[in-house]
Amino acid sequence: MATILLLSGPNLNLLGERDPEQYGATTLDELVAIAAEAAAKRGHDVEHLQSNHEGALVDAIHSARGRCAAIVFNPGAFSHYAYALTDALATYDGVKIEVHLSNPYAREAWRRHSVISPVVDGTIAGLRAAGYRLAVEAAATLLEERA
Ligand code: CA2
């Protein structure tokens, strides 16, 4: 059994309250439950942290080193400019999956670039809550391939 760290960036704590047309109506607690259920089906567990602060997310990535086998990360708007997260993820040797509820490539130009994508194994975007299940399944599959 491995621990998968589910990391949620800024404003994702507001999910379910506003903007359902963009992000769906699922709350963050429900997304965590979806991820945990998908992980349990593959014999893994999920640890979750949400923060609105870049440094706290950097700390969480550091603390995952040697402890969590994979990170599933929705960095929120930090995806588009937070190079400290890029550097932190580059130091992490486990499986890394970036996930977005919406499809940033179908939105404003500034959302079409991710500073996270170059340092992760893969990205899932635009599939709303289903993307969280698929992100965990992708992490579990890559873990099996690496075992
Ligand atoms: O689609 C995603 O998952 C995003 O990472 C969500 C971020 C956005 O900045 C990225 O471009 C794409 C924004 C999360 C904001 O979440 C809210 C939830 C409810 C109400 C308002 C914002």
Side-chain angles (χ1 to χ4, degrees):
M1 174 191 268
T3 297
I4 299 172
L5 175 63
L6 176 63
L7 265 187
S8 304
N11 297 307
L12 290 165
N13 52 309
L14 300 178
L15 286 172
E17 287 180 28
R18 331 172 27 168
D19 256 352
E21 61 290 336
Q22 203 60 257
Y23 302 120
T26 316
T27 66
L28 185 57
D29 283 350
E30 289 166 344
L31 291 175
V32 175
I34 287 166
E37 188 182 332
K41 282 187 180 155
R42 303 289 285 264
H44 304 309
D45 62 10
V46 164
E47 181 181 308
H48 176 246
L49 177 94
Q50 187 276 330
S51 180
N52 297 319
H53 305 280
E54 185 176 352
L57 295 166
V58 169
D59 288 342
I61 294 164
H62 291 176
S63 86
R65 294 167 68 189
R67 204 175 56 77
C68 301
I71 297 177
V72 171
F73 193 10
N74 185 343
F78 285 152
S79 313
H80 312 300
Y81 65 92
Y83 294 107
L85 294 174
T86 314
D87 286 346
L89 284 169
T91 72
Y92 176 78
D93 285 337
V95 167
K96 294 166 270 193
I97 308 289
E98 176 184 5
V99 63
H100 296 284
L101 291 156
S102 67
N103 178 0
Y105 303 100
R107 300 180 66 191
E108 302 95 319
W110 62 269
R111 293 188 203 271
R112 291 180 205 144
H113 178 69
S114 167
V115 298
I116 303 302
S117 296
V119 291
V120 295
D121 294 289
T123 299
I124 292 173
L127 304 178
R128 308 280 173 86
Y132 277 62
R133 175 175 55 76
L134 293 167
V136 168
E137 287 173 2
T141 298
L142 292 186
L143 287 174
E144 284 162 21
E145 284 176 12
R146 287 188 186 187

